[in-house]
């Protein structure tokens, strides 16, 4: 049996985000340095792993907890896990809006809208569009709002604008647009880094994790 | 009221029986189907509905719109057929096991276990262990770990409940989880099915006292159901990670849609070197659960 203190001294990282944002894929990329699984299923609960990764000259051993992104698991696990974590990775599916024509049409007004509010008029505009991405996007924004409401200002937050690799041949949302769409700038008080990334290809994953470790040290 | 429903295959006239006492109302789905005696597909969910809608009737004779292939198919070559057979044979384990064992080239033997709702899952395992694992000695899925013996030392995978673990502890002449005397029995993956807070507490006490030892690298799934368990799953996870020192702990929820499927798939992935081996399994489970 392991000593209690030896295991609890490891850094704890929690990975949050709405369902299908790519949280589990990020972890697989971290563990395997490549993506093995051709097909994924939604995470029904939480998965905690102790892993080691090599970043430059340093080897980091830490515990990472992947939590299902549906509302059920947001309510069940997010708050408690965030409270125990030394750092948080928040994953956004940046390709979510690519096929939502209605949203794209209104995007110009949208990104200039007021602070995030679930009842804001901009949301009503989206409801008129029947794209499935609309519901996903609204859920994603609610999840982000909830996540950031429980985050401790003192903890570093890495926001990965995931699935950057999927934007080829589609409307490319700029980093700035995504930040506005998700109201990420309202979180400037946090120790936050926002970066495009692809869990699938590994783009920016390790570099940005390195930032997180620097902040946690 | 009689407790047995009789199903008759309209082609071969063979009868199958469903014992209503074995069906837990808690596990029954709430989806309503037609009151018609004609069953669209002979699956467990349908039977549950019949139980609810016809519980005041006596023995029923029901027509099925599909034949029971097991009565006519002796040689099974494809997993799909095995799964079909499993469902259509009313989970008659002995028939299934015999059919599978006849087919020595079946590449996915363990997978037949993963088809059921929770209640059937349990009874299915209980019956299966008596026949299947003693033949294959490869993988064991059991809710009663005390039935294991030295004959099963090649097992790679154990599913047990806390109740099963407790039973083995209380039976010193029987094998214990990860007992050093049977080092080859150390599992790669364990699923703990938390359904009783009493058992949870006892299990945790035994772990604390060192009476149950788990290998550091074992992949543990704690399958929980907040309707049945008083202990918060987070506390159990913290205990396993922080105090026992495990490195791989999943909390998976039976209550969620597809929760059981997730438990099954994850437990299977845990013993695979390449997760893509499980892809076919996903497709099959997806169509049956």
């Amino acid at each position: 049996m392991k000593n209690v203190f030896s295991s609890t001294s490891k850094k704890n990282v929690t990975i949050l985000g709405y369902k299908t944002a790519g949280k589990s894929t990020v972890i697989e990329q971290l563990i395997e340095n490549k993506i093995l699984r051709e097909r994924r299923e939604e995470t029904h609960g939480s998965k905690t792993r102790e892993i080691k990764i090599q970043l430059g000259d340093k080897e980091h051993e830490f515990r990472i907890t992947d939590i299902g992104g549906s509302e059920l698991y947001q309510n069940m696990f997010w708050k408690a896990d965030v409270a125990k974590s030394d750092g948080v990775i928040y994953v956004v599916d940046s390709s979510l809006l690519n096929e939502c024509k209605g949203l794209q049409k209104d995007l110009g007004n949208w990104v200039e809208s007021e602070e995030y509010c679930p009842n804001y008029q901009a949301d009503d505009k989206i409801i008129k569009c029947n794209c499935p991405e609309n519901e996903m996007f609204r859920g994603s924004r609610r999840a982000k709002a909830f996540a950031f409401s429980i985050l401790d200002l003192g903890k570093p937050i890495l926001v990965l604008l995931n699935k950057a690799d999927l934007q080829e041949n589609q409307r490319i949302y700029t980093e700035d647009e995504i930040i506005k769409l998700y109201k990420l700038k309202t979180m400037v008080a946090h120790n936050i880094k926002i970066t495009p990334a692809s869990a699938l290809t590994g783009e920016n994953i390790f570099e940005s994790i390195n930032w997180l470790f620097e902040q946690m040290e | 009221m009689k407790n047995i429903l009789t199903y008759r295959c309209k082609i071969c006239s063979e009868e199958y029986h469903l014992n209503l006492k074995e069906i837990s109302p808690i596990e029954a789905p709430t989806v309503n189907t037609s009151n018609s005696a004609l069953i669209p597909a002979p699956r467990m969910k349908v039977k549950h509905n019949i139980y609810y809608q016809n519980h005041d009737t006596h023995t029923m004779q029901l027509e099925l719109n599909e034949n029971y292939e097991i009565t006519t198919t002796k040689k099974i070559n494809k997993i799909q057929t095995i799964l079909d057979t499993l469902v259509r044979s009313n989970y008659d384990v002995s028939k299934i096991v015999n059919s599978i064992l006849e087919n020595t080239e079946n590449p996915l033997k363990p997978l037949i276990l993963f088809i059921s709702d929770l209640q059937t899952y349990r009874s299915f395992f209980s019956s299966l262990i008596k026949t299947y694992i003693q033949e294959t000695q490869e993988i064991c899925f059991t809710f009663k770990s005390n039935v294991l013996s030295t004959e099963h030392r090649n097992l790679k995978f154990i599913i047990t409940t806390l109740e099963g673990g407790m039973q083995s502890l209380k039976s010193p002449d029987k094998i214990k989880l990860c007992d050093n005397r049977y080092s080859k029995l150390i599992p790669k993956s364990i699923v703990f099915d938390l359904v009783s807070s009493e058992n949870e507490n006892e299990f945790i006490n035994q772990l604390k006292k060192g009476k149950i030892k788990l290998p550091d690298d074992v992949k543990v799934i704690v399958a929980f159901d907040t309707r049945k368990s008083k202990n918060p799953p987070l506390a159990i996870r913290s205990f396993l990670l922080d105090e026992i020192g495990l490195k791989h702990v999943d909390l998976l929820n039976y209550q969620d849609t597809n929760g059981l499927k997730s438990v099954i798939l994850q437990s299977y992935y845990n013993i695979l070197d390449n997760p893509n081996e499980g892809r076919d399994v996903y497709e099959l489970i997806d169509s049956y659960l």
Side-chain angles (χ1 to χ4, degrees), chain B residues 44-91:
Chain B
M44 212 60 190
K45 284 182 180 176
V46 178
K47 292 167 191 168
H48 281 194
N49 288 334
I50 290 167
Y51 168 51
Y52 275 107
Q53 293 178 13
N54 301 286
H55 66 278
D56 57 346
T57 63
H58 292 265
T59 300
M60 299 168 64
Q61 201 168 70
L62 303 170
E63 282 191 343
L64 297 171
N65 60 356
E66 294 180 68
N67 186 16
Y68 286 103
E69 290 188 0
I70 194 167
T71 60
T72 56
T73 306
K74 297 294 182 188
K75 185 78 173 178
I76 301 172
N77 295 317
K78 295 180 180 178
I79 281 295
Q80 184 66 50
T81 311
I82 293 173
L83 296 174
D84 285 343
T85 307
L86 181 60
V87 173
R88 291 174 185 166
S89 67
N90 200 15
Y91 295 85

Side-chain angles (χ1 to χ4, degrees), chain A residues 114-118 120 123 138 141-145 183 186:
Chain A
E114 300 296 325
E115 290 299 307
Y116 173 76
C117 168
Y120 185 67
D123 269 352
R138 285 201 302 277
R141 287 226 313 180
R142 284 195 298 270
K144 174 258 157 189
K183 305 293 180 191
T186 62

